[in-house]
Amino acid sequence: MAPRTPPPAGPDRSHPAEAAALRTAHRICPLCEACCGLSLTLEGERVVAVRGQSDDVFSAGYLCPKGVALKDLHEDPDRLRTPLVRRDGVLAPATWDEAWAEIARRLPPLQAAHGRDAVAVVAGNPVSHKMGLLLVLPALLKALGTRNFFSASTLDQMPRQLVNGWMYGHWLSNAVPDIDRCDWLLVIGANPVASNGSLWTVPGVRDRLRALRRRGGQLLVVDPRRTETAALADEHLAVRPGTDVFLLLGLLHTLFDEDLVRPGRLADLMQGLEAVRAAVAPFPAERMAPRCGVPADTLRRLARSLAATPRAAVYGRMGTSVQAYGSLCAWLIELLNLLTGHVDAPGGLMFPQAAAFAANTTGAPGRGRGIVTGRHRSRVAGAPEVFGELPLGCLAEEIETPGTGQVRALVTIAANPVLSAPEGERLARAFDGLDFMLSLDLYLNETSRHADVVLPARSPLEDGHWDVAFTQFSVRNHARYSPPVLAADPAHPPEWQQLLRLAAIAQGQGAAADIDALDDALAEHALRQAQAAAEAAGTPGIDAAALRAAIGTPDGRIALAPPALVADLARVAQACATEPTDTADATHPLRLIGRRDLRSNNSWMHNLPTLAKGPDRCTLQVHPDDARRAGLADGARARLVRGDQVLEVPIEWSDAVSPGVVCLPHGWGHDLPGSRLAIAAQRPGVNLNRLADGRERDPLSGNAVLTGLPVRLERVV
């Protein structure tokens, strides 16, 4: 299924002139969702420089520090290059044959004795950036036959995917802001200047936002912190953490109350408008304002501007997902865009049409099977399956709790849940109790240190690449492929081959199975599916409005009022029955939010010198008034407390955070024994997610609650 592109030929070092010759190679950056084109200067097999590719058809030369750090990643001495197998309690280098033999010896007997669900799989964020992993992972999951699949999606984006599925009929029918033609953009709980876009592949977003304002447009940002994006905005609204649902309901109610609902040509494609009208009737702006901290007249003004501006869009991301009302927020944002006629419209939100692998736009346009959730539930908490996944916050209890179906073995693929998931310490203890653990990873990190076998990934520069996932969220339709830049060790199989060999072992074919034959069978199946879909769909347009192609509901209409979402408004009504308060509770008066830095998209990036240099980034931002109240000087160390969990962290006075709000970045905590991340260990930081509770999640999507956590500050005695 994955292309077997031969590695590029290296220079002929038998001739002195060849050894010093410089060459240029191009590569799609795999380190964030912007997917920028890079131009690499190489001397033989050594990377000399990394720059933005000025003639790239998509990114046009844009480059952020992460792209430059590909050189550091390739050369990092801590990056694993050989398998590791645990011998006498110690992970030691092993041959590939030894690693496969150990897996074959231990994994199949576990499933034979305890059932298919005894093995769990966790896939991390980098899977989305690796063509081979993303395309072959389904084959591994099918071979394992387990229902215990977890991924970073339930720490990040599952509310968005679930709402896409319920409203449009497919998880990946995700409209993105047409920023280059937009005249009014409301950004809620997102910081695209730092993230380079999220579920929105948009390189050079800072310049694009500035261009929006230069042409007379308006940028408005709703966030508890004055983010890098908010610093560019015409207006920043400091909403209370975790209360976006109240703000969004106030906006939507205003559209109905002031007769501003104008879906235009979308009206004939919708069903459920009156059900939405009735559902939001109890939530006027005047009632929502005390909950979210934004005045009612401001909410009404925003709703009027959205309705009155022909080219406008509302975009929400991480902050709206990682809260108790994540699915409701995603739904309300989509309704605001739909009911003002800004979906499938230039300057509003448009549906990308990827040139390949676009599952949501294959087949006959305008009708499909829709989605189904809850096909099974987690064994302990009873959390429903969504998009084939269970909430990652449930993993620890599935390992710890005895009984039929207990998870006894784990496969992690480019994942570090000890740092990225709630209750990382608990997960670490649970991993130590497993009968067998296998990790595929670039590094021996805070998670893979627990494994019995670690299989190393190749350097990204040694693999070919196509953006399977992110062309489906792209601000412009395009097609690009990157061949390998450097030759890989012939003995080091690419990750897609590793997954296929694991699948063969799980199917009982053993470690010596014919991987090429398995790949041929997958490729033949994929081609048959693609041909059938292409014949049904016809020829898609380029950069064209693609709403009908994206709709996959059984009746061919957009479902404005999915019953589960309408019913979930009862939680909001219940919250509205209590008196609003500015604080979480008397003992935990502050609310904790996370933040992202342009240089640290994932935890392993803290081990790359180009990204790790500079000031300490793992600081707790505290409003000066709150710091003085706690007797804490700028730069002092403080105790951040939630229940019995305590983090000791340096504080940074900042008026960018609202009073009552403290802000800590995610992905840190590199002080755990057994990991081998030398640069990261020099400034380990603290793990924000230690303060999160795996039981706290959006009940519909299973997404973890990672923002608005009630905490208090104490002086270090």
Side-chain angles (χ1 to χ4, degrees):
M1 185 174 181
R4 297 181 200 150
T5 306
D12 181 2
R13 295 190 179 276
S14 63
H15 193 288
E18 287 289 340
L22 296 179
R23 63 186 177 93
T24 299
H26 297 136
R27 181 65 165 81
I28 303 169
C29 181
L31 300 185
C32 83
E33 295 186 39
C35 304
C36 299
L38 306 178
S39 179
L40 287 78
T41 303
L42 300 107
E43 183 178 24
E45 296 295 284
R46 184 175 69 90
V47 178
V48 176
V50 181
R51 299 179 178 86
Q53 184 183 347
S54 59
D55 60 350
D56 184 88
V57 297
F58 182 56
S59 59
Y62 177 75
L63 179 70
C64 85
K66 291 192 291 294
V68 177
L70 267 178
K71 171 180 166 63
D72 290 351
L73 176 61
H74 179 75
E75 298 172 354
D76 191 348
D78 288 338
R79 181 170 63 82
L80 298 177
R81 289 162 172 82
T82 60
L84 302 176
V85 175
R86 192 172 297 277
R87 308 289 191 195
D88 299 321
V90 177
L91 282 168
T95 67
W96 283 95
D97 286 345
E98 289 170 338
W100 293 123
E102 183 72 359
I103 296 166
R105 182 178 73 85
R106 299 183 65 180
L107 189 60
L110 272 169
Q111 285 194 301
H114 303 290
R116 291 287 180 177
D117 292 335
V119 177
V121 177
V122 177
N125 171 277
V127 169
S128 298
H129 298 269
K130 300 296 288 283
M131 175 180 66
L133 286 177
L134 200 58
L135 293 178
V136 181
L137 178 58
L140 173 61
L141 295 175
K142 182 178 180 180
L144 287 169
T146 180
R147 297 185 299 179
N148 285 312
F149 175 52
F150 307 83
S151 89
S153 292
T154 53
L155 306 174
D156 181 346
Q157 67 198 43
M158 194 57 85
R160 178 71 265 164
Q161 291 177 277
L162 177 60
V163 169
N164 289 343
W166 273 337
M167 298 187 76
Y168 296 109
H170 200 285
W171 314 94
L172 298 177
S173 287
N174 189 79
V176 301
D178 181 18
I179 187 173
D180 297 324
R181 293 179 285 193
C182 186
D183 294 324
W184 190 93
L185 180 62
L186 177 60
V187 175
I188 304 178
N191 187 11
V193 169
S195 68
N196 280 330
S198 181
L199 293 183
W200 182 26
T201 299
V202 54
V205 68
R206 182 191 293 269
D207 290 339
R208 287 172 139 136
L209 291 172
R210 286 172 171 162
L212 180 153
R213 295 192 64 201
R214 282 197 302 271
R215 63 177 177 263
Q218 282 191 295
L219 171 64
L220 307 100
V221 174
V222 174
D223 201 286
R225 182 173 74 97
R226 189 173 66 253
T227 63
E228 294 84 347
T229 303
L232 299 179
D234 296 274
E235 186 173 2
H236 169 225
L237 303 171
V239 69
R240 292 189 186 122
T243 66
D244 303 85
V245 68
F246 303 106
L247 180 144
L248 292 165
L249 280 167
L251 296 178
L252 191 58
H253 184 281
T254 300
L255 293 182
F256 286 105
D257 186 52
E258 300 189 8
D259 195 23
L260 300 174
V261 173
R262 299 285 190 276
R265 63 184 180 81
L266 300 177
D268 292 339
L269 290 173
M270 296 175 174
Q271 57 93 1
L273 180 60
E274 292 309 310
V276 172
R277 184 193 304 271
V280 304
F283 307 107
E286 288 71 21
R287 191 181 182 198
M288 298 299 98
R291 303 282 165 182
C292 64
V294 177
D297 59 350
T298 301
L299 298 180
R300 289 187 175 273
R301 172 172 56 84
L302 291 177
R304 292 167 190 151
S305 296
L306 172 64
T309 308
R311 297 174 181 262
V314 182
Y315 167 70
R317 257 306 287 128
M318 190 77 170
T320 64
S321 288
V322 293
Q323 57 174 278
Y325 302 106
S327 295
L328 285 175
C329 287
W331 175 48
L332 296 170
I333 289 170
E334 202 66 15
L335 286 174
L336 287 170
N337 287 304
L338 283 164
L339 298 187
T340 51
H342 290 126
V343 173
D344 195 44
L349 280 87
M350 300 186 74
F351 288 92
Q353 287 185 286
F357 308 112
N360 66 312
T361 56
T362 57
R367 185 161 295 190
R369 293 179 297 178
I371 66 164
V372 178
T373 65
R375 291 171 292 185
H376 57 269
R377 292 179 174 267
S378 67
R379 180 178 61 101
V380 180
E385 162 271 335
V386 177
F387 201 15
E389 301 184 25
L390 295 172
L392 191 47
C394 295
L395 177 58
E397 65 190 18
E398 292 296 325
I399 298 172
E400 297 167 341
T401 307
T404 303
Q406 179 183 5
V407 170
R408 296 171 178 268
L410 179 67
V411 179
T412 65
I413 304 172
N416 193 2
V418 168
L419 292 192
S420 63
E423 301 178 306
E425 288 180 314
R426 181 184 178 188
L427 272 176
R429 292 192 299 269
F431 293 166
D432 283 336
L434 289 164
D435 294 339
F436 180 69
M437 180 171 168
L438 165 66
S439 291
L440 285 75
D441 213 288
L442 285 165
Y443 289 101
L444 195 62
N445 61 24
E446 291 77 15
T447 293
S448 59
R449 67 191 174 119
H450 295 275
D452 298 288
V453 177
V454 183
L455 301 179
R458 282 181 175 179
S459 161
L461 298 182
E462 297 169 347
D463 280 335
H465 185 63
W466 172 285
D467 279 314
V468 174
F470 301 113
T471 50
Q472 299 186 51
F473 307 131
S474 173
V475 73
R476 285 292 175 265
N477 295 331
H478 65 280
R480 297 176 300 166
Y481 172 72
S482 295
V485 171
L486 297 172
D489 179 350
H492 189 157
E495 289 149 297
W496 65 268
Q497 288 188 355
Q498 295 180 39
L499 293 191
L500 281 182
R501 197 165 298 281
L502 287 176
I505 291 172
Q507 290 174 330
Q509 299 181 39
D514 185 346
I515 298 303
D516 286 344
L518 288 176
D519 183 50
D520 288 342
L522 282 177
E524 183 178 353
H525 176 69
L527 286 171
R528 285 199 303 267
Q529 286 187 318
Q531 182 177 4
E535 291 172 354
T539 304
I542 300 298
D543 252 2
L547 176 59
R548 286 190 179 274
I551 294 177
T553 53
D555 66 358
R557 303 174 75 190
I558 304 166
L560 296 182
L565 289 164
V566 173
D568 199 35
L569 285 174
R571 287 196 298 137
V572 182
Q574 184 177 11
C576 290
T578 62
E579 288 296 320
T581 176
D582 291 337
T583 60
D585 60 54
T587 58
H588 298 82
L590 304 173
R591 288 194 179 271
L592 174 65
I593 63 173
R595 71 177 184 268
R596 172 178 279 177
D597 187 275
L598 187 63
R599 294 173 175 267
S600 61
N601 200 41
N602 288 304
S603 60
W604 53 268
M605 292 183 182
H606 303 153
N607 208 58
L608 306 181
T610 297
L611 302 181
K613 66 184 179 182
D616 187 358
R617 294 182 182 88
C618 191
T619 60
L620 182 73
Q621 293 181 346
V622 184
H623 191 276
D625 292 347
D626 292 320
R628 294 188 190 99
R629 193 174 297 112
L632 294 167
D634 190 14
R637 296 192 69 81
R639 286 163 46 93
L640 187 63
V641 182
R642 187 188 189 196
D644 60 358
Q645 289 292 326
V646 180
L647 301 179
E648 187 174 315
V649 62
I651 72 161
E652 173 189 350
W653 282 24
S654 174
D655 61 5
V657 293
S658 304
V661 176
V662 291
C663 180
L664 190 65
H666 77 285
W668 297 83
H670 303 290
D671 54 355
L672 301 179
S675 59
R676 300 177 193 170
L677 297 162
I679 299 294
Q682 293 174 16
R683 291 193 295 185
V686 297
N687 183 5
L688 160 70
N689 290 334
R690 279 180 52 193
L691 302 181
D693 187 332
R695 297 168 298 181
E696 296 177 352
R697 51 185 176 265
D698 170 28
L700 300 182
S701 68
N703 209 93
V705 175
L706 301 175
T707 195
L709 306 180
V711 295
R712 70 175 181 271
L713 273 178
E714 297 177 351
R715 296 179 63 181
V716 174
V717 179

